[in-house]
Amino acid sequence: MKIGIVCYPTFGGSGVVATELGKALASNGHEIHFITYSQPARLDFFSENLYYHEVAMAQYPLFDFSPYESALASKLVDVVKFEKLDLLHVHYAIPHASVAFLAKQILATYGIHIPVVTTLHGTDITLVGKDKSFSPVVTFSINHSDGVTAVSENLREQTLESFDIKREVRVIPNFIDFSRFHNKSKEHFKRAIAPGNERVITHTSNFRKVKNTQDVVRIFKQVNEVIPSKLLMVGDGPERRNTEELARQLGVSQDVRFLGKQDAIEEILSVSDLFLMPSSSESFGLAALEAMACHVPVVSTNTGGLPELNLHGVSGFLSNIGDVDDMSKHAIHILEDCDRLQRFKDAAFARAQEFDLRNILPLYEAYYEEVLNNTKIPG
Ligand code: GMT
């Protein structure tokens, strides 16, 4: 199958899922065309089945805001026509689903019929999509996609509650590629990070408000008072400065390292004992799954799709949003006893295995076939 994938090429979760999916489909023999405004962060190797088309935008003094949607739609028309694609799979509804609809209408005028699958990732529904400035377009483009998937049951329910949806939304959960995410032996790195054999606690995110990165530091302070620990903060974003400031105010900055954006996240996770995700909204929690795949238990909130991933008392614990004391108590419980920590590590890994790419990829392939069959023009 020849598939065009549209996504945000950044370090955000939806871009990572789209890129990893494209890479896996290409390894399975499909021809994959990424159509984005810059090279996707995880598109880091060459394969004969992978293509990348950059959406270039003409600048003009009249444009206060560059009309990216028009440039992307034009690029989609061009790539679908020239490369003879069978299907478009767009990740993150805003603006990709409505742009794909526009491209599809334009292509129809050339007698080309291409089905569009939209994957909803989270904030395109929960935080941003619901806003009045977007919701009519989001509703329309979900209803007019030929296939729609959501990355968790909770996101599917939220979509149906928040918008007037007249079609099926299929749940296909996020996945993990174990050929990349596995526990690597990084003893020298661990000794450098935690020379006194302290426990290593990790958080990775884009440091947006929704991630509650200050709660990570608050939890760490409580844990560190009982169990000597180090905190690794991976990623960057608007809340990083406030979070660094809080670490200084709380007097823990000597035990906290802000590492910025990192590509080799699996190496950092491999030296970690616990992952913290105190988000106030999380449709799935891909970063938590990546941690679990590296044998790292997760203390998270119970919001959104997190309870579908992180099993309370098994792979980690769930607490209410903002309940720093509860999350600290759970973190200490996991970390204070070596045997218990090992049990949580094993259980986190076992849970992650249920989201193995090898189990999820066939679900996407079958869904593409289903959509193609349902949209086939007779004759
Ligand atoms: O805000 C983010 O975390 C990035 C965002 C994205 O779409 O780039 O992530 C969302 O999609 C991820 C991949 O499906 C999910 O794992 C994240 O839970 C989700 N983020 C939120 O719902 C806040």
Side-chain angles (χ1 to χ4, degrees):
M1 209 181 289
K2 291 183 173 192
I3 303 162
I5 293 186
V6 179
C7 64
Y8 284 102
T10 49
F11 280 83
S14 63
V16 168
V17 170
T19 314
E20 296 293 348
L21 175 62
K23 282 157 57 173
L25 288 163
S27 309
N28 249 12
H30 301 281
E31 188 177 298
I32 302 301
H33 294 259
F34 285 97
I35 305 144
T36 60
Y37 60 78
S38 69
Q39 172 124 353
R42 289 226 181 144
L43 194 61
D44 48 7
F45 74 110
F46 173 76
S47 147
E48 58 189 15
N49 288 336
L50 282 177
Y51 296 77
Y52 162 56
H53 307 267
E54 185 168 314
V55 182
M57 263 177 296
Q59 299 299 324
Y60 189 66
L62 181 66
F63 301 152
D64 268 350
F65 303 98
S66 295
Y68 175 65
E69 282 88 337
S70 298
L72 177 59
S74 300
K75 192 75 184 174
L76 290 180
V77 169
D78 183 60
V79 176
V80 171
K81 264 166 82 179
F82 184 73
E83 303 287 353
K84 300 192 170 35
L85 301 188
D86 299 308
L87 182 138
L88 281 175
H89 186 175
V90 303
H91 291 257
Y92 204 90
I94 307 167
H96 300 146
S98 53
V99 170
F101 175 79
L102 174 60
K104 188 178 150 144
Q105 299 308 304
I106 298 170
L107 285 158
T109 66
Y110 297 96
I112 298 170
H113 298 279
I114 183 147
V116 173
V117 171
T118 298
T119 290
L120 309 172
H121 278 274
T123 49
D124 46 352
I125 295 299
T126 53
L127 296 181
V128 191
K130 263 194 228 167
D131 191 279
K132 274 200 192 90
S133 55
F134 292 115
S135 61
V137 175
V138 173
T139 308
F140 178 89
S141 49
I142 291 176
N143 282 328
H144 287 80
S145 293
D146 300 291
V148 178
T149 73
V151 297
S152 65
E153 186 55 46
N154 178 271
L155 185 61
R156 190 185 83 88
E157 283 161 18
Q158 291 210 48
T159 307
L160 299 181
E161 273 163 27
S162 311
F163 303 90
D164 184 15
I165 299 303
K166 306 202 181 314
R167 50 151 310 114
E168 186 222 5
V169 176
R170 182 77 54 92
V171 176
I172 302 185
N174 286 335
F175 52 83
I176 194 84
D177 179 359
F178 280 92
S179 66
R180 171 171 178 170
F181 282 89
H182 53 260
N183 216 354
K184 298 186 172 161
S185 175
K186 287 275 161 197
E187 274 315 305
H188 60 287
F189 181 36
K190 178 133 194 174
R191 273 197 298 278
I193 297 285
N197 209 21
E198 296 89 349
R199 297 288 193 221
V200 177
I201 301 174
T202 299
H203 169 81
T204 72
S205 76
N206 47 29
F207 283 65
R208 292 197 204 128
K209 264 224 151 13
V210 67
K211 302 294 176 182
N212 289 333
T213 49
Q214 296 201 7
D215 280 358
V216 174
V217 174
R218 292 187 185 104
I219 296 164
F220 176 72
K221 182 178 162 56
Q222 292 201 26
V223 175
N224 200 25
E225 279 166 3
V226 183
I227 300 168
S229 311
K230 298 287 181 187
L231 174 62
L232 301 180
M233 297 290 276
V234 185
D236 213 330
E239 288 299 307
R240 176 169 167 176
R241 233 186 96 180
N242 292 341
T243 310
E244 284 187 279
E245 193 57 44
L246 182 68
R248 285 177 212 144
Q249 278 169 20
L250 295 180
V252 291
S253 54
Q254 72 286 354
D255 291 318
V256 183
R257 280 180 71 169
F258 287 82
L259 299 174
K261 288 179 185 167
Q262 296 288 331
D263 280 335
I265 183 66
E266 65 280 10
E267 301 201 351
I268 296 164
L269 291 169
S270 291
V271 300
S272 305
D273 297 300
L274 185 72
F275 189 82
L276 295 178
M277 185 174 256
S279 309
S280 49
S281 173
E282 205 67 67
S283 68
F284 181 87
L286 183 65
L289 174 58
E290 291 178 342
M292 288 156 66
C294 294
H295 300 249
V296 184
V298 173
V299 165
S300 71
T301 48
N302 52 15
T303 186
L306 283 171
E308 293 170 51
L309 171 68
N310 186 17
L311 302 182
H312 189 71
V314 179
S315 57
F317 285 103
L318 301 158
S319 305
N320 292 332
I321 297 164
D323 196 341
V324 168
D325 289 346
D326 199 49
M327 286 185 265
S328 307
K329 191 186 82 192
H330 286 143
I332 292 166
H333 177 75
I334 293 174
L335 293 173
E336 69 188 350
D337 180 277
C338 284
D339 292 340
R340 189 184 298 142
L341 174 60
Q342 194 53 51
R343 277 200 302 279
F344 272 96
K345 285 185 172 201
D346 293 344
F349 178 67
R351 178 66 179 152
Q353 284 179 310
E354 292 174 42
F355 298 87
D356 191 327
L357 168 65
R358 288 172 300 184
N359 301 332
I360 308 298
L361 187 65
L363 302 182
Y364 273 114
E365 290 179 307
Y367 192 56
Y368 293 155
E369 289 291 350
E370 196 179 314
V371 168
L372 277 171
N373 286 334
N374 291 344
T375 52
K376 215 172 245 163
I377 309 249

